[in-house]
């Protein structure tokens, strides 16, 4: 099972979803994204869960989208992957449930983007963050360019998105990307989820709308543009080289894209 589900609390009001592909550092493949979508959909219909904690199995949150799946996928499949990820993110952002990312180990690329869409991020003090897509000749196409910039500012976004450098939990906290940096992220996530689950649903919904709903309404144009650029990068071959290099455990050789952006 690539996605584990556990119910916590006397009235099943807290649900813990565990991304379970530890052999691939919990990289998010199509099955996992689809599983998350369907599970969240079902939880909404059951109408019991108020808080959902998303975490990763065996010490990592998620090391990004599954590079191996993307590397060989034709353009239509890449568009399908991007569409599926976009749908999942829309679903989380518009859900009446409150989502908490409980982050340990690697939280990279599409995994980090998933956490940026959730309402709250709580990280282990030793977690490692990054949007390293540029190292693969692509970009963070799952809302990462827009959400990172909105939360941490264009100066920090430029530094980390253009270099692909990883950064620590402490740095993530300093940039406002996580609300808490602790040695006990799961316990803290459960504690917070318990508090949230005891609140009034209409109040939670209204507050969520005013935080993430408002933010997204401002970012819509950028999100559309992000998707277009993401898909365009797969047309010119540079992305293929970047992804192939990761698979072959070597440095990529780029053409340097003469004339690009003119
Ligand atoms: N996808 C697929 N497999 C992965 C991924 C991944 N993202 N990350 C790690 N793995 C695999 C490795 O290939 C390796 O497999 P194998 O044993 O078969 O060689 C296994 O997990 C263990 O990994 P490592 O041996 O590399 O472990 P290390 O401890 O040496 O390194 C790292 C861990 C630093 C996490 C390293 O694995 C790494 O750099 N991973 C890739 C990180 C990355 O670039 N993430 C971004 C991916 S692209 C992305 O997320 C785009 C999102 C766009 C949104 C979607 C569409 C809109």
């Amino acid at each position: 099972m690539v996605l584990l589900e556990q119910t916590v609390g006397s009235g099943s009001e807290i649900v813990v979803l565990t991304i379970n592909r530890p052999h691939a550092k919990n990289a998010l493949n199509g099955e996992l994204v689809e599983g998350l979508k369907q599970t969240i959909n079902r939880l909404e219909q059951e109408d019991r869960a108020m808080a959902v904690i998303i975490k990763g199995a065996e010490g990592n949150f998620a090391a990004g989208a599954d590079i191996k799946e993307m590397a060989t996928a034709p353009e239509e499949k890449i568009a399908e992957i991007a569409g599926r990820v976009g749908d999942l993110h829309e679903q989380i952002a518009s859900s009446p449930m409150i989502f908490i990312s409980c982050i340990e180990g690697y939280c990279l690329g599409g995994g980090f983007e998933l956490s940026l869409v959730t309402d709250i991020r709580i990280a282990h003090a030793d977690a490692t963050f990054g949007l390293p897509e540029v190292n693969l000749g692509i970009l963070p196409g799952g809302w990462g360019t827009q959400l990172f910039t909105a939360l941490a500012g264009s100066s920090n976004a430029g530094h980390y998105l253009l270099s692909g450098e990883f950064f620590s939990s402490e740095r993530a906290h300093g940039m406002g990307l996580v609300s808490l940096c602790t040695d006990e992220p799961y316990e803290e996530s459960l504690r917070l989820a318990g508090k949230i689950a005891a609140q009034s649903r209409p109040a939670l919904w209204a507050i969520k709308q005013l935080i993430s709903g408002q933010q997204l309404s401002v970012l819509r144009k950028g999100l559309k543009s992000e998707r277009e650029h993401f898909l365009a990068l797969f047309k010119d071959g540079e992305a293929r080289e970047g992804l192939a290099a990761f698979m072959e455990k070597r440095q990529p050789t780029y053409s340097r894209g003469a004339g690009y952006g003119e």
Side-chain angles (χ1 to χ4, degrees), residues 157-173:
H159 183 127
Y160 292 107
L161 273 67
L162 295 173
S163 68
E165 266 181 11
F166 293 172
F167 52 92
S168 66
S169 260
E170 190 185 357
R171 185 83 185 99
H173 188 241

Side-chain angles (χ1 to χ4, degrees), residues 2 4 6 43 81 121 130 137 144 166 243:
V2 295
L4 308 176
Q6 185 194 350
L43 291 173
I81 292 171
R121 285 162 296 288
F166 293 172
L243 296 167

Side-chain angles (χ1 to χ4, degrees), residues 192-262:
L192 208 59
K195 281 209 152 185
I196 288 166
Q199 309 294 2
S200 135
R201 272 193 164 180
L204 290 173
W205 172 241
I207 294 167
K208 176 164 173 164
Q209 285 310 298
L210 289 162
I211 300 173
S212 58
Q214 283 300 316
Q215 186 178 53
L216 278 181
S217 68
V218 175
L219 300 180
R220 284 286 168 208
K221 202 172 153 201
L223 293 176
K224 183 168 175 286
S225 194
E226 179 191 82
R227 173 78 63 87
E228 288 164 2
H229 282 290
F230 179 79
L231 296 178
L233 289 176
F234 283 85
K235 286 192 192 300
D236 66 9
E238 295 281 85
R240 297 296 177 193
E241 166 57 12
L243 296 167
F246 177 84
M247 305 265 291
E248 293 159 19
K249 301 186 192 287
R250 62 170 172 83
Q251 286 301 312
T253 309
Y254 293 126
S255 69
R256 302 284 164 215
Y260 198 78
E262 286 172 4

